[in-house]
Amino acid sequence: MQTLQEYKCPCCGGAIAFDSTLQKMKCPYCDTEFDMETLASYDAGLNGEQDSMEWETSAGTQWQEGEADGLRTYVCKSCGGEIVGDENTAATSCPFCGNPVVMMGQFSGALKPDLVIPFKLDKNAAKAGLMQHLSGKRLLPKIFKDQNHIDEIKGIYVPFWLFDTDADAQVRYRTTKVRVWSDSKYDYTDTSHFLVNRSGSVSFEHIPVDGSTKMPDDLMESIEPFNFSAAVDFQTAYLAGYLADKYDVDAEQSIERANERVKRSTEEVFASTVHGYQTVVTESSNIRLHGGKAKYALYPVWILNTTWQGKKYTFAMNGQTGKFVGDLPVDKSAAAKWTLGLSAVLSAAAYGAVWLLHLIGML
């Protein structure tokens, strides 16, 4: 059995949603505002009884066997319309009346998140972020900005696993120091080689690894960091008006990526302590992790999809900080002109240096 949770305004009965600007729930019909604490009782449904609707995923006469296994169907309490989502959809809106709904069953039991970072920035900020991302790009085709239309903008709470761990590390580097001098006859170079050892411990908290296969890992890592100090205990009310997915990559499956991030960050921290050398090369690295634990959280992300010349472009914005990322097309003609211009500048600089040396030799 699956249940839907809708948040109704007690004043006018309209559907209310989380307003990222106010950090409160707000009714769009009568403008009544509600503190999040006043709606905490709605989450009692996670452990208590709820009005429920039946859903069917077995094969029917119009489906081949197995085709509907990943579908979930719900009935909107406001208009009676059918809402169809996949097995990981946790929050959405009714396609008929637009009311925001939360699939309570997706967050019950072991699937309930520990924490959530609420949206701070709204859809208008996401649109403005795209325009700012497009501005000042010399190699961006001019018509891309003029003809590029946003297909959809989605505010999504993305599931993340947050890992805490301690790392004990021993790293050895091969380094060099180079000394150069000249006399009237020769130029000399003296290269000294050293082995540099570093050892110590580093503690990590809240290392994020997204738990959704729908979200490209590199895209999610690019919009980091999130400010964890703004995380609050999970309430389903924060999801109203947004989309949300539950994880389909569990904590155990995410450990490898978390370990890779810890190892990379540890090596970067240790390498930053090796100063005064011309070259630094890691010869060996031994990192041991212990005391690891994980929490389940939802982080706010705006996803923007656009199409230009038949190709789709996906952009992402951190719904808390506004950091915006996404690949852009390159104007090949402009790139060629820029390369030629750079070559001309470098050639002129080289010619000037040669001429200066010639003048010095003449003095």
Side-chain angles (χ1 to χ4, degrees):
M1 303 288 287
Q2 293 289 327
T3 60
L4 294 182
Q5 177 69 63
E6 293 179 276
Y7 293 88
K8 296 290 189 179
C9 176
C11 299
C12 69
I16 59 177
F18 180 71
D19 189 305
S20 61
T21 302
L22 300 172
Q23 293 294 292
K24 297 179 179 180
M25 300 291 283
K26 182 178 180 180
C27 176
Y29 304 99
C30 66
D31 291 331
T32 305
E33 300 174 4
F34 305 91
D35 291 328
M36 299 303 297
E37 290 76 10
T38 64
L39 296 174
S41 59
Y42 277 81
D43 286 343
L46 290 172
N47 299 311
E49 291 189 1
Q50 294 278 340
D51 292 334
S52 61
M53 278 67 64
E54 295 184 0
W55 51 273
E56 179 64 42
T57 59
S58 61
T61 56
Q62 297 180 2
W63 294 85
Q64 297 297 319
E65 183 178 355
E67 285 184 331
D69 289 347
L71 298 180
R72 301 291 185 268
T73 60
Y74 308 83
V75 176
C76 177
K77 294 181 180 179
S78 296
C79 69
E82 185 177 67
I83 303 172
V84 180
D86 66 19
E87 57 187 347
N88 297 315
T89 301
T92 185
S93 59
C94 176
F96 303 99
C97 66
N99 279 353
V101 295
V102 179
M103 287 68 167
M104 298 293 290
Q106 302 290 52
F107 291 108
S108 61
L111 299 181
K112 179 184 176 182
D114 300 302
L115 303 161
V116 58
I117 293 182
F119 273 88
K120 296 289 185 183
L121 301 172
D122 60 14
K123 182 180 292 186
N124 291 329
K127 293 180 181 178
L130 176 61
M131 293 300 103
Q132 184 176 0
H133 186 65
L134 299 181
S135 64
K137 303 294 193 298
R138 293 184 177 181
L139 302 184
L140 180 69
K142 183 179 182 303
I143 58 174
F144 180 82
K145 185 175 181 179
D146 299 334
Q147 297 182 358
N148 183 42
H149 299 291
I150 299 175
D151 297 331
E152 61 177 349
I153 302 179
K154 299 183 292 186
I156 304 175
Y157 279 104
V158 178
F160 275 85
W161 296 105
L162 308 181
F163 291 88
D164 297 348
T165 187
D166 296 319
D168 297 330
Q170 293 179 331
V171 187
R172 184 167 64 188
Y173 305 92
R174 286 194 174 274
T175 65
T176 62
K177 286 185 177 181
V178 179
R179 187 166 63 97
V180 178
W181 72 96
S182 301
D183 59 22
S184 59
K185 293 184 177 180
Y186 302 102
D187 295 327
Y188 303 91
T189 300
D190 176 58
T191 302
S192 301
H193 298 266
F194 303 88
L195 283 177
V196 178
N197 292 291
R198 291 289 187 268
S199 62
S201 299
V202 184
S203 295
F204 294 87
E205 291 184 339
H206 315 133
I207 302 167
V209 176
D210 72 272
S212 173
T213 56
K214 298 177 184 176
M215 296 296 170
D217 295 339
D218 57 347
L219 196 65
M220 292 299 98
E221 290 184 7
S222 297
I223 61 174
E224 294 176 14
F226 289 86
N227 181 8
F228 185 79
S229 65
V232 296
D233 291 338
F234 175 76
Q235 290 185 46
T236 57
Y238 286 109
L239 309 186
Y242 299 92
L243 301 175
D245 280 346
K246 71 169 186 177
Y247 64 86
D248 57 1
V249 180
D250 63 27
E252 289 294 327
Q253 294 171 312
S254 302
I255 288 177
E256 183 177 353
R257 268 191 64 211
N259 288 347
E260 290 176 357
R261 300 198 70 179
V262 169
K263 181 179 179 181
R264 184 167 64 247
S265 296
T266 301
E267 290 177 343
E268 290 174 355
V269 169
F270 276 56
S272 68
T273 68
V274 183
H275 305 291
Y277 301 95
Q278 268 67 40
T279 63
V280 177
V281 178
T282 302
E283 183 181 67
S284 64
S285 176
N286 182 15
I287 299 175
R288 299 175 302 280
L289 307 181
H290 58 89
K293 57 183 179 180
K295 290 185 178 180
Y296 177 28
L298 299 181
Y299 279 4
V301 178
W302 284 102
I303 297 293
L304 299 86
N305 291 311
T306 69
T307 303
W308 184 66
Q309 293 187 348
K311 183 178 179 180
K312 293 186 177 296
Y313 294 87
T314 298
F315 304 91
M317 188 182 85
N318 186 314
Q320 179 193 36
T321 67
K323 185 177 181 181
F324 201 102
V325 299
D327 294 332
L328 294 171
V330 174
D331 186 331
K332 296 181 180 179
S333 176
K337 292 179 181 178
W338 184 83
T339 302
L340 288 174
L342 180 62
S343 300
V345 170
L346 294 176
S347 297
Y351 178 80
V354 171
W355 180 249
L356 180 61
L357 292 174
H358 177 69
L359 291 177
I360 292 174
M362 294 177 63
L363 293 177

